[in-house]
């Protein structure tokens, strides 16, 4: 990808957004449900908020993070969503010509000082824009040069997630410590989000959505857990072998198969956007031959196993 163009705006906006989904930040739960209705489901996150999933159709896929009855973050990938002042599919050049994008984000909060430092990769594929007290993380598809999705956050949520290099003075805001039962609920929600987002991207690229395959998902979960427990990030397990070995052991019948793995990403949306910007992983996400998908998440290890079933 070519280097980012020079910014025409020379300072961050001190004004809060006046339109679009970013207006949800700070709203209470009753206002959220008045505006959007009841969610299709509610997933737990590892950051203390719950994801309210709005998946009316793939062009309006939306995740709204609610903590203590207040909206603290919004993640939007659906193409027919109002993410003003941005637009899903917008060319990156337009964004950099109209918004102030800096390599440093400075936040003063409750007497503490925080400074995020974005490296060149961050600036090119996941830059951040400040709009008053709302922080906007932009996910750029480097293969098309267009905006793929948008994440709006308040300052506290950004500090908890730490998506960039952080230095600080004072007290660091930490995410909650999860016990085993809490991790299981987070993992269950995250695998559903990864499945949903994969199909949003496939339909965006004029491909058939994948069907869920539970046995393949169990294989994927086993691999994520194996990688985590053995600190071995690889497609081939020392104990359970290659993907074909693992699918065979689970008696999964298929014609072709593929696998994506990832570790230590912020959450499901960040993982999927990471895969989209890596050629081999993108090829699996957008392979027209695959018919079914199983996703397995173990803490911060993620596995997608794709298969094509017979006669699909």
């Amino acid at each position: 990808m070519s280097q980012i163009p020079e910014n025409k705006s020379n300072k961050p906006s001190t004004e809060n957004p006046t339109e679009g989904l970013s207006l949800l930040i700070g709203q209470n739960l009753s206002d959220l449900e008045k505006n959007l209705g009841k969610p299709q489901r509610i997933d737990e996150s590892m950051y203390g908020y719950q994801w309210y999933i709005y998946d009316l159709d793939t062009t309006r896929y939306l995740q709204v993070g609610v903590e203590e009855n207040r909206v603290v973050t919004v993640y939007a990938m659906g193409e027919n969503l109002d993410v003003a002042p941005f637009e899903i599919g917008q060319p990156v050049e337009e964004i950099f010509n109209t918004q102030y994008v800096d390599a440093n984000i400075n936040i003063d909060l409750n007497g503490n000082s925080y400074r995020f430092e974005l490296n060149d990769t961050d600036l090119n594929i996941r830059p951040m824009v400040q709009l008053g007290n709302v922080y906007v993380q932009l996910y750029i598809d480097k293969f098309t040069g267009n905006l793929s999705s948008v994440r709006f956050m308040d300052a506290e949520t950004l500090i908890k997630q730490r998506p960039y290099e952080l230095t600080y003075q004072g007290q660091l805001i930490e995410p909650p410590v999860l016990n085993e039962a809490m991790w299981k609920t987070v993992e269950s929600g995250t695998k559903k989000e990864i499945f949903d987002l994969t199909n949003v991207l496939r339909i965006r690229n004029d491909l058939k959505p994948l069907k869920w395959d539970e046995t393949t998902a169990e294989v994927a979960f086993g691999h994520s857990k194996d990688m985590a427990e053995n600190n071995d990030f690889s497609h081939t397990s020392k104990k359970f072998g290659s993907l074909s070995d693992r699918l065979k052991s689970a008696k999964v019948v298929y014609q072709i198969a593929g696998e994506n793995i990832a570790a230590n990403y912020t959450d499901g949306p960040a993982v999927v956007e990471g895969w989209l910007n890596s050629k081999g992983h993108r090829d699996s996400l957008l392979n027209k031959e695959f018919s079914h998908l199983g996703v397995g998440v173990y803490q911060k290890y993620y596995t997608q196993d794709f298969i094509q079933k017979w006669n699909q």
Side-chain angles (χ1 to χ4, degrees), residues 150-309:
V150 179
R151 188 191 300 256
F152 301 100
M153 291 173 277
D154 64 14
E156 192 168 308
T157 302
L158 173 60
I159 294 161
K160 262 196 246 179
Q161 291 189 354
R162 302 203 280 279
Y164 312 106
E165 191 71 31
L166 173 66
T167 56
Y168 66 96
Q169 287 186 318
Q171 188 174 354
L172 185 59
I173 303 171
E174 296 280 8
V177 176
L178 305 185
N179 60 30
E180 187 177 348
M182 293 160 74
W183 267 118
K184 282 184 177 176
T185 60
V186 170
E187 292 159 2
S188 176
T190 302
K191 74 179 181 183
K192 293 173 190 170
E193 292 156 27
I194 290 173
F195 177 74
D196 290 342
L197 291 166
T198 299
N199 279 334
V200 172
L201 290 174
R202 288 179 68 86
I203 290 169
R204 182 185 292 177
N205 286 274
D206 301 318
L207 298 167
K208 284 184 180 177
L210 299 170
K211 295 173 185 173
W212 182 263
D213 188 81
E214 184 58 34
T215 308
T216 303
E218 289 166 9
V219 172
F221 174 77
H223 191 57
S224 289
K225 188 175 182 185
D226 178 55
M227 287 192 295
E229 290 180 342
N230 294 289
N231 193 26
D232 183 21
F233 185 72
S234 170
H235 288 285
T236 303
S237 164
K238 291 182 173 67
K239 187 174 180 182
F240 302 107
S242 66
L243 173 59
S244 58
D245 294 329
R246 290 179 268 121
L247 290 171
K248 185 178 178 182
S249 294
K251 297 182 170 54
V252 175
V253 179
Y254 64 96
Q255 286 182 287
I256 58 172
E259 182 171 75
N260 284 342
I261 59 175
N264 299 319
Y265 276 80
T266 305
D267 56 10
V271 172
V272 173
E273 287 291 359
W275 281 329
L276 188 67
N277 269 332
S278 166
K279 177 140 191 350
H281 300 95
R282 182 191 187 93
D283 288 348
S284 294
L285 282 171
L286 303 180
N287 186 326
K288 67 180 181 181
E289 304 298 329
F290 292 138
S291 61
H292 290 72
L293 172 62
V295 181
V297 178
Y298 182 80
Q299 296 191 4
K300 294 185 87 170
Y301 284 78
Y302 311 88
T303 302
Q304 280 185 310
D305 285 339
F306 303 86
I307 59 171
Q308 181 193 52
K309 289 198 173 184

